[in-house]
Amino acid sequence: MSQIAELIHSSVADDRRDARLYERYRDTLDLPVAWNDTLDTLVAHRSVRAYLPDALPEGTVELLVAAAQSAASSSNLQPWSVIAVEDPARKARLALLAGDQKQIYQAPLFLLWLVDLQRLTGIGEALSAPTVGLRYLESFLLGAVDTSLAAQSAVVALESIGLGSCYIGGIRNRPAEVAAELGLPPNVFALFGLTVGHPDPDRPASVKPRLPQEAVLFRETYGAGDNGLALAAYDHRLRGFQREQGMIERDWTEQATQRVGHDHLARSGRHVLRDILHALGFGLE
Amino acid sequence: MSQIAELIHSSVADDRRDARLYERYRDTLDLPVAWNDTLDTLVAHRSVRAYLPDALPEGTVELLVAAAQSAASSSNLQPWSVIAVEDPARKARLALLAGDQKQIYQAPLFLLWLVDLQRLTGIGEALSAPTVGLRYLESFLLGAVDTSLAAQSAVVALESIGLGSCYIGGIRNRPAEVAAELGLPPNVFALFGLTVGHPDPDRPASVKPRLPQEAVLFRETYGAGDNGLALAAYDHRLRGFQREQGMIERDWTEQATQRVGHDHLARSGRHVLRDILHALGFGLE
């Protein structure tokens, strides 16, 4: 590239960077970094809940699994599996178990990301080696972390080829029924689902503004100080977003606390998660 | 681009794709998908444990946090925070608490990724709204998932600009001491650390081969069948990798089961994680 072409290129990239960051924070974030396509994909993330009926490109599932398996795994234990569900009848049954979310019916692919301690248990049995460590809460937590890292790499991969997705935490509403539907053995738990498809251009998803960085990023030690100002600024910015979207205007601080009140959790069924995990075979000791 | 230039470009991309996938699986994976830089970054991931002392580009921390905050968050609760540690003395103390891993001393930046239910607790107190739902295991798990999705997006971002990183699960060996060092309030837990720096080109990290896809990917329901063949193939491929790396040759199946035996977990201190989380304020009900 000539020097002038390079300057134009980097100036266009800077504009794109600033626009992406503004959309994410609804505020100017002065970041003097060279932009690239991967950063653009990451910062432009949005959860897609409206899909076209179009089939996915050949090899999509295998591509997403390759990206997922490429994520880090603690001690290379690889304690997760994934089930690709495409059968409309099974998708419908899973949708009902996950709070009847319509995007599960609509997306051509529904991935179920599983914390899988059964593979290691089975290997231990075959080798007559003890695997009692799997009974500890630490092992379940390590499985949940690795499953999440894997899924997120799959999400970045699918967005890089123009597809969209939405995490479905509602799959934890009825874990025992979900396990039965998927034929899960003991020590396997569907941590979340992920709908995957071509975003419907007529019903585009929006970038959700996030908390100002000063509310979540600290230096050296936890910022004990008052972050009331940052939260008030966020409430204000999110109201602007809600107005644009034709949504009811409401403070995030109020919304978020309501979400973690007891009633909401109990209605979803997730207040008994610990008991159900025990029943599914996890020790959580 | 002219048609011929485009053909050459896509043929080069196909070769790069096939090489990356071969490196990951030590086997041919026939994936008829158009390759791009983001996919290349994802599949080329490696954990970097040797860093140059060079300072990071200006704005690196803020860039990684922007990528992290752009990841999905369940109900937009954003239940995580991150602490950027650069002080050599603090890094050294944290390294000792995390199994004395030398990459923590060496990396110019050590990020601590925190499940943070304190922000929501504090908001609830300010609004006199109940936040009892945070006491459930579900809330801790949701926090761990969202923290992991965020961190993984930061990892992809840093790799896209040529930096390297390594997750440090060892930070869970001594959670109470880590909390004291970082000044964490109740309801905040350091889920893992992440070293960040310029990879040392004289001590390059390798791509770790992963399980064959047939061992982790199922269609419609969980594959109850015998995956002994896939595991045997993986043991064989990993031995080839170990030979190349000058490591002691050992079956993965044997290594992995040893890792989840009781003794190993007890030596790390993580067998008492549940009790420590209770002491840190988490209900896990």
Side-chain angles (χ1 to χ4, degrees):
Chain A
M1 234 186 290
S2 77
Q3 216 183 329
I4 288 179
E6 230 169 68
L7 275 174
I8 293 173
H9 179 78
S10 68
S11 143
V12 170
D14 287 356
D15 288 349
R16 197 162 59 130
R17 174 196 68 202
D18 294 346
R20 287 292 189 211
L21 291 168
Y22 187 85
E23 195 176 26
R24 176 60 67 198
Y25 290 106
R26 301 279 165 144
D27 191 24
T28 308
L29 191 68
D30 187 27
L31 263 190
V33 296
W35 209 236
N36 63 46
D37 287 346
T38 302
L39 297 173
D40 205 64
T41 296
L42 288 165
V43 176
H45 165 78
R46 59 206 73 194
S47 293
V48 172
R49 295 183 177 83
Y51 300 98
L52 298 176
D54 306 22
L56 297 173
E58 198 191 333
T60 296
V61 170
E62 291 80 3
L63 173 67
L64 302 188
V65 172
Q69 289 193 273
S70 299
S73 170
S74 185
S75 302
N76 196 29
L77 290 177
Q78 306 178 63
W80 60 270
S81 295
V82 61
I83 301 180
V85 172
E86 298 177 274
D87 175 30
R90 181 167 288 107
K91 271 197 297 160
R93 292 194 295 271
L94 289 168
L96 276 178
L97 293 173
D100 205 23
Q101 297 184 52
K102 71 175 184 331
Q103 64 262 37
I104 304 175
Y105 299 89
Q106 214 178 46
L109 173 65
F110 189 39
L111 294 175
L112 283 305
W113 296 91
L114 314 173
V115 176
D116 187 345
L117 303 185
Q118 182 53 39
R119 190 184 303 117
L120 291 167
T121 305
I123 294 170
E125 282 166 10
L127 297 179
S128 303
T131 55
V132 285
L134 295 175
R135 282 167 27 202
Y136 290 101
L137 176 62
E138 158 66 15
S139 295
F140 177 73
L141 182 60
L142 185 153
V145 167
D146 277 11
T147 305
S148 303
L149 303 184
Q152 184 59 9
S153 277
V155 164
V156 179
L158 69 87
E159 290 182 354
S160 83
I161 59 169
L163 299 175
S165 69
C166 183
Y167 282 102
I168 306 290
I171 209 74
R172 292 198 298 278
N173 291 358
R174 312 267 294 274
E177 289 89 337
V178 167
E181 173 64 43
L182 298 171
L184 303 185
N187 307 309
V188 180
F189 170 61
L191 185 59
F192 45 72
L194 187 79
T195 54
V196 182
H198 292 277
D200 182 347
D202 292 336
R203 293 174 292 166
S206 300
V207 166
K208 182 75 71 76
R210 295 283 194 234
L211 285 165
Q213 289 207 347
E214 55 266 41
V216 305
L217 167 62
F218 307 117
R219 300 281 180 168
E220 299 301 332
T221 56
Y222 193 90
D226 178 27
N227 64 1
L229 277 177
L231 296 178
Y234 184 58
D235 278 342
H236 179 75
R237 286 170 200 156
L238 206 57
R239 277 175 175 268
F241 170 79
Q242 291 159 344
R243 251 192 323 274
E244 278 174 35
Q245 301 284 314
M247 296 159 72
I248 296 166
E249 275 186 58
R250 204 160 153 225
D251 283 342
W252 174 80
T253 46
E254 191 199 318
Q255 250 176 343
T257 45
Q258 197 195 330
R259 194 84 197 174
V260 298
H262 178 261
D263 286 354
H264 183 86
L265 210 82
R267 269 202 306 277
S268 76
R270 297 193 216 167
H271 60 307
V272 292
L273 181 63
R274 191 180 62 171
D275 295 338
I276 294 176
L277 283 169
H278 281 307
L280 292 176
F282 293 93
L284 310 179
E285 283 171 23
Chain B
M1 232 187 287
S2 74
Q3 217 185 329
I4 288 178
E6 230 169 66
L7 275 174
I8 292 172
H9 179 78
S10 68
S11 142
V12 169
D14 287 356
D15 287 350
R16 197 163 59 130
R17 175 196 66 203
D18 294 346
R20 287 292 187 212
L21 291 169
Y22 188 85
E23 195 176 27
R24 176 60 67 199
Y25 289 106
R26 302 280 165 145
D27 190 23
T28 307
L29 191 66
D30 187 26
L31 262 189
V33 296
W35 210 235
N36 64 45
D37 286 346
T38 302
L39 296 174
D40 205 64
T41 296
L42 289 166
V43 176
H45 164 78
R46 58 206 76 193
S47 292
V48 172
R49 295 182 176 84
Y51 299 98
L52 297 175
D54 306 23
L56 297 173
E58 198 191 332
T60 296
V61 171
E62 291 80 2
L63 174 67
L64 302 188
V65 172
Q69 289 192 273
S70 299
S73 170
S74 185
S75 302
N76 197 30
L77 291 176
Q78 306 178 63
W80 60 267
S81 295
V82 61
I83 302 180
V85 172
E86 298 178 274
D87 174 32
R90 179 166 290 107
K91 272 197 297 158
R93 292 193 296 273
L94 289 168
L96 275 178
L97 293 173
D100 205 23
Q101 298 184 52
K102 72 176 183 330
Q103 63 262 39
I104 304 175
Y105 299 89
Q106 214 179 46
L109 173 64
F110 189 39
L111 294 175
L112 283 305
W113 296 90
L114 314 173
V115 176
D116 187 344
L117 303 184
Q118 182 52 38
R119 190 184 303 116
L120 291 167
T121 305
I123 294 169
E125 283 166 9
L127 298 179
S128 303
T131 55
V132 286
L134 294 175
R135 281 167 28 202
Y136 290 100
L137 175 62
E138 159 66 15
S139 295
F140 177 74
L141 182 61
L142 185 154
V145 168
D146 276 11
T147 305
S148 303
L149 303 183
Q152 183 61 7
S153 277
V155 164
V156 178
L158 69 87
E159 291 182 354
S160 83
I161 59 170
L163 298 175
S165 69
C166 184
Y167 282 102
I168 306 291
I171 210 73
R172 292 198 301 277
N173 291 358
R174 311 267 294 272
E177 289 89 335
V178 168
E181 174 63 45
L182 298 171
L184 303 186
N187 307 309
V188 181
F189 170 61
L191 185 59
F192 45 73
L194 187 78
T195 55
V196 181
H198 293 275
D200 182 347
D202 292 337
R203 290 175 293 165
S206 300
V207 167
K208 181 76 70 76
R210 295 282 195 236
L211 285 165
Q213 290 207 347
E214 56 264 41
V216 306
L217 166 62
F218 307 116
R219 300 282 179 168
E220 299 302 330
T221 56
Y222 193 91
D226 178 27
N227 63 2
L229 277 177
L231 296 177
Y234 184 57
D235 278 342
H236 179 76
R237 286 169 200 156
L238 206 59
R239 277 176 175 267
F241 172 79
Q242 292 160 342
R243 250 192 326 272
E244 277 172 37
Q245 301 284 315
M247 296 160 72
I248 296 166
E249 274 185 59
R250 207 162 151 223
D251 281 343
W252 175 79
T253 46
E254 190 198 317
Q255 250 175 345
T257 45
Q258 196 193 332
R259 194 84 196 175
V260 297
H262 179 260
D263 286 354
H264 183 86
L265 210 83
R267 270 201 305 277
S268 76
R270 296 192 217 167
H271 61 307
V272 292
L273 181 64
R274 192 179 62 170
D275 295 339
I276 295 176
L277 283 169
H278 279 307
L280 293 176
F282 293 93
L284 310 179
E285 283 172 22

